[in-house]
Amino acid sequence: MRRPELNLNLKRKRDGRPVLAAQVADAWRFWALDGGQWASVDAPLAGDTLWRVAEYDALALHEGRRKAGLNRIGLELIKSKPAIMRLGQWAAFAPADSVTLQGHAVQPIALTLMRRLPEMTAPALLRLKLPDGYTAFALYMRDKSVRGWVLSGAEDVSVTEQQILQKAGLTDAPGIDLPDVATLIAQATGVRPFPTEPEWGGLPVSVYRKGYVVVTAVLLAVAALYWIEGQSAQTAARAHATAVDAQHAVALRALERWDLNHALALAKRSSLEPAALFAAARAVYLPGSQVSLTQGGKELVVELAQVSLAPIGNGRWTPRSAIEAGMAHPAPKGWRLTKLVRSGQGGYALVYKQQGGHP
């Protein structure tokens, strides 16, 4: 008897148009690569591949460390709870709440350097030319980490470079001019964006969901064939089905744990309407902000946009203009702005509370 074959095709979709993102003052600027030329665009489109130049993104050798060790490295590099992505011997780090930008999963521009870094001398100041006359600087440190991306306009390049080196105590470090950004992106094969859903063994949970559905279908087909073969096979199939049911229950419990923080799972537990929640979140969103849902769906928290103090100081802060814009922004129907709170060392957040029943 021929048994069904299992074939899981887990190939990734082909990358779309490259789009470069960099934070200029309080806003993000985007450039799309079309026909070998960078052109300024308002926002990335669905299917675009988003590359980000951000001072809080970092890259380091992970040297086989477990998750706890990588968390410690991430905290040292970005001073924030890190999202971690392993690629070969390297690990990329970013704040856990910044793995997407305008709904797109992001790839740090440092990922384009993985194959080049072993050939470079450390420490060094890396220089990367961006569209419209901007230059991005980063430090390649003795511990083989790349960190501290700083953006400079054409008129401030030499001053910014001196300030970065003095602040890092690396006045004798050489400067290295990187190839143009289009070339770096074109040669960066095998990279991927930060995962925007839980992963297990380096693959998104959704892959295991799809695989589980296929495996279950195959097992049911095998059980049906054994049923036809006779009573003894039927008994074996029943025992097998019992084992499958037990595995099914374990898998469902695992998926429920993975889904605890998903908005749709919250909606199922709390009888909330996802469409109304998403509409409220869109209504309070401001450029550069992060919107989150707390208190079982009764509170919206808007983390206001921050700007970097580098190269004149450490850390990031929320400018007064962002606070005033947030305070003046109308609250969505059924919600009320209740307070302005400190968020981290230099940030501020607006808290909206739901009035009355569920949205």
Side-chain angles (χ1 to χ4, degrees):
M1 180 182 64
R2 185 177 180 181
R3 298 175 183 270
E5 296 181 357
L6 179 62
N7 180 19
L8 297 182
N9 185 0
L10 304 181
K11 291 183 179 179
R12 293 185 173 274
K13 295 181 180 179
R14 181 172 295 179
D15 291 341
R17 176 183 66 167
V19 173
L20 185 65
Q23 193 169 21
V24 180
D26 294 348
W28 284 94
R29 289 200 58 179
F30 301 94
W31 298 274
L33 185 61
D34 285 316
Q37 298 294 323
W38 292 103
S40 180
V41 295
D42 293 332
L45 303 176
D48 286 343
T49 302
L50 191 59
W51 292 88
R52 179 173 68 191
V53 181
E55 57 93 11
Y56 45 71
D57 286 339
L59 184 72
L61 289 170
H62 66 69
E63 297 176 343
R65 289 182 175 86
R66 297 180 180 272
K67 185 175 181 180
L70 288 176
N71 272 321
R72 287 193 294 271
I73 294 176
L75 285 171
E76 292 175 3
L77 291 177
I78 64 177
K79 313 302 182 190
S80 174
K81 180 182 178 182
I84 302 169
M85 173 177 51
R86 295 194 195 198
L87 286 169
Q89 61 181 332
W90 296 91
F93 303 88
D97 59 357
S98 67
V99 297
T100 61
L101 180 58
Q102 294 199 1
H104 283 67
V106 297
Q107 300 177 140
I109 198 68
L111 294 177
T112 64
L113 307 177
M114 291 188 300
R115 292 182 176 84
R116 301 175 182 271
L117 292 174
E119 303 171 357
M120 297 181 186
T121 301
L125 180 68
L126 308 181
R127 292 185 289 252
L128 176 63
K129 297 291 186 182
L130 302 183
D132 293 340
Y134 291 101
T135 299
F137 295 94
L139 290 170
Y140 182 36
M141 307 299 287
R142 290 186 177 89
D143 60 4
K144 307 302 181 183
S145 66
V146 179
R147 62 179 90 170
W149 289 91
V150 174
L151 198 66
S152 173
E155 68 279 3
D156 300 322
V157 168
S158 59
V159 174
T160 302
E161 181 172 336
Q162 293 175 8
Q163 290 175 333
I164 293 173
L165 291 173
Q166 289 174 359
K167 181 180 175 181
L170 300 173
T171 53
D172 296 331
I176 299 178
D177 291 312
L178 299 172
D180 66 272
V181 67
T183 299
L184 288 176
I185 290 175
Q187 295 176 351
T189 57
V191 303
R192 59 187 176 92
F194 276 106
T196 55
E197 63 172 299
E199 289 194 335
W200 188 25
L203 289 176
V205 172
S206 60
V207 171
Y208 294 99
R209 293 177 193 270
K210 296 175 184 177
Y212 179 77
V213 170
V214 175
V215 171
T216 301
V218 172
L219 291 175
L220 289 176
V222 172
L225 291 173
Y226 274 116
W227 177 275
I228 295 172
E229 284 184 343
Q231 185 63 38
S232 59
Q234 183 184 70
T235 302
R238 287 176 178 172
H240 188 70
T242 300
V244 170
D245 287 341
Q247 295 174 356
H248 191 181
V250 171
L252 286 179
R253 287 195 295 271
L255 292 177
E256 288 171 358
R257 288 195 297 272
W258 278 320
D259 282 345
L260 282 178
N261 295 321
H262 287 197
L264 293 180
L266 175 62
K268 292 177 183 177
R269 296 197 303 275
S270 307
S271 300
L272 303 177
E273 296 180 15
L277 287 175
F278 293 145
R282 285 193 295 269
V284 298
Y285 173 79
L286 296 165
S289 67
Q290 298 283 340
V291 182
S292 59
L293 191 66
T294 64
Q295 299 298 319
K298 296 182 179 180
E299 187 176 86
L300 283 170
V301 178
V302 182
E303 302 279 347
L304 295 173
Q306 297 184 23
V307 297
S308 174
L309 290 174
I312 62 173
N314 294 320
R316 298 168 60 80
W317 67 293
T318 299
R320 180 175 178 176
S321 59
I323 296 174
E324 291 176 345
M327 297 290 288
H329 197 66
K333 184 178 180 180
W335 297 79
R336 181 170 61 89
L337 177 61
T338 59
K339 55 186 173 181
L340 173 70
V341 298
R342 289 294 300 270
S343 176
Q345 294 183 349
Y348 284 87
L350 300 173
V351 179
Y352 294 82
K353 287 197 175 180
Q354 182 194 154
Q355 305 299 298
H358 293 307

